[in-house]
Amino acid sequence: MRRVTVTSAVIGGVSGTAAGIVAGGDTADDGDEDTSEADTADAICARAPPIRLTPACGDTDENADGPVFCITNDSEHAVSLEWRAVSPPDERIEFIDCRRIRVFGKFADVIVTATFVGAGDEVGNVIEPVGAVDGERTIDVRELEQFPDGAIIGSVEAFREEPVVPGIGALTASNPQFSACQEVVFGEVAVGDESDERVAESESDEESGPDPATLETVTVPAGATTCFTADVDAADGPVAVQLFREGAMIADRSSATVNSCPLPVRVGRADPVTVPTRLLQSTLGACDRSRERRDE
């Protein structure tokens, strides 16, 4: 594959539409009743990395320890992972999958850097502002016209105020599964060096790796989903789960946006519960709740 980088940057305003995404909402209702194949749950999950972390339930029964999170393993082998629960900061950027992020906080603008493969197998990068965030916002690059079809998110930078100049943002985050996203979407890791840099950046706060004493271990069978409860002592608010594999963080998601538990299984103080992945997809409507319209 040819590796020709084509970078586009339009700083200071949004040149395209935001597809109706607003703070506090997950999807836009534009009145169009037709749903393309690209937006179906099966299609979204089929293009997701093989290991996914989903915040499934916010309110659990009286026997539960806290919010329910689910780990999906789409690989052909069982995987042993480690996780820990933490109190998430008020300002944060979460990677939902290869093309979606969720931003929490109040920001004047957010810049997304995405990688794509164009005609002739050229690999390019697009750096574009996507607008403000006031509280919470889910951003899907497939719904923004300034990003090419098939683009995957590599990094995100949020700015509390202008000027909006790459590199001086108040908050930055890199896709912890950027290499896996390339393999899923492009069929290979086309940007190896940049991927390695992103991994190094994402682990900058964990230079020596996580303390094993703070981690719980879970094994997820091949092609299955394992759900568990997570809580933080003395925490009054959302809970975040950080998921690790061989000492490297591969996902970091919070319970901030999940509602009452829709899963027809009891996940309490006992051991994690393994369910068919299809059950999670059919219950939540996609790989996770982020694309489900909330009840008003």
Side-chain angles (χ1 to χ4, degrees):
M1 177 178 288
R2 290 175 56 194
R3 293 177 173 83
V4 179
T5 300
V6 181
T7 302
S8 168
V10 181
I11 307 303
V14 179
S15 58
T17 63
I21 301 177
V22 295
D26 289 323
T27 57
D29 186 358
D30 58 7
D32 187 355
E33 296 181 356
D34 295 332
T35 301
S36 67
E37 185 274 339
D39 290 328
T40 64
D42 287 343
I44 293 170
C45 293
R47 292 193 302 267
I51 307 298
R52 303 191 302 274
L53 175 65
T54 302
C57 313
D59 299 328
T60 54
D61 61 45
E62 65 276 8
N63 295 318
D65 270 339
V68 175
F69 290 78
C70 297
I71 302 171
T72 297
N73 174 20
D74 286 333
S75 71
E76 298 179 352
H77 305 283
V79 294
S80 292
L81 305 166
E82 300 82 40
W83 64 271
R84 66 183 175 190
V86 299
S87 296
D90 293 336
E91 295 182 340
R92 66 191 271 110
I93 299 170
E94 295 183 358
F95 282 81
I96 299 173
D97 54 33
C98 300
R99 296 179 170 110
R100 293 180 292 163
I101 57 170
R102 180 172 284 123
V103 182
F104 298 89
K106 187 176 179 62
F107 298 103
D109 212 338
V110 173
I111 290 179
V112 172
T113 299
T115 299
F116 66 96
V117 175
D121 289 339
E122 297 94 348
V123 178
N125 291 324
V126 176
I127 305 172
E128 289 282 353
V130 297
V133 175
D134 188 3
E136 172 200 332
R137 178 181 169 191
T138 298
I139 298 168
D140 187 334
V141 295
R142 293 167 302 181
E143 297 175 342
L144 302 176
E145 64 182 27
Q146 59 261 52
F147 293 93
D149 293 340
I152 61 175
I153 301 175
S155 61
V156 183
E157 192 169 7
F159 300 79
R160 294 195 186 97
E161 57 188 20
E162 295 184 348
V164 180
V165 180
I168 65 170
L171 189 65
T172 61
S174 298
N175 186 347
Q177 297 209 62
F178 186 64
S179 292
C181 285
Q182 291 184 72
E183 292 179 347
V184 169
V185 179
F186 304 154
E188 67 173 335
V189 179
V191 193
D193 292 340
E194 293 186 16
S195 176
D196 293 341
E197 292 175 3
R198 287 187 176 96
V199 170
E201 290 173 1
S202 68
E203 295 175 350
S204 61
D205 294 333
E206 297 280 357
E207 294 181 358
S208 59
D211 182 356
T214 67
L215 302 179
E216 301 282 347
T217 300
V218 60
T219 298
V220 186
T225 293
T226 296
C227 301
F228 57 92
T229 57
D231 71 337
V232 178
D233 292 340
D236 183 16
V239 174
V241 164
Q242 297 174 337
L243 186 64
F244 299 87
R245 186 174 189 179
E246 298 179 350
M249 186 186 299
I250 61 173
D252 181 10
R253 301 292 307 281
S254 74
S255 64
T257 60
V258 298
N259 299 315
S260 60
C261 185
L263 292 173
V265 294
R266 289 177 63 86
V267 183
R269 297 179 183 274
D271 293 334
V273 175
T274 298
V275 300
T277 297
R278 184 63 185 173
L279 175 63
L280 181 69
Q281 292 178 207
S282 62
T283 303
L284 298 186
C287 297
D288 63 38
R289 184 176 288 275
S290 63
R291 290 193 66 83
E292 180 184 16
R293 284 187 176 88
R294 299 184 196 164
D295 295 332
E296 297 183 354

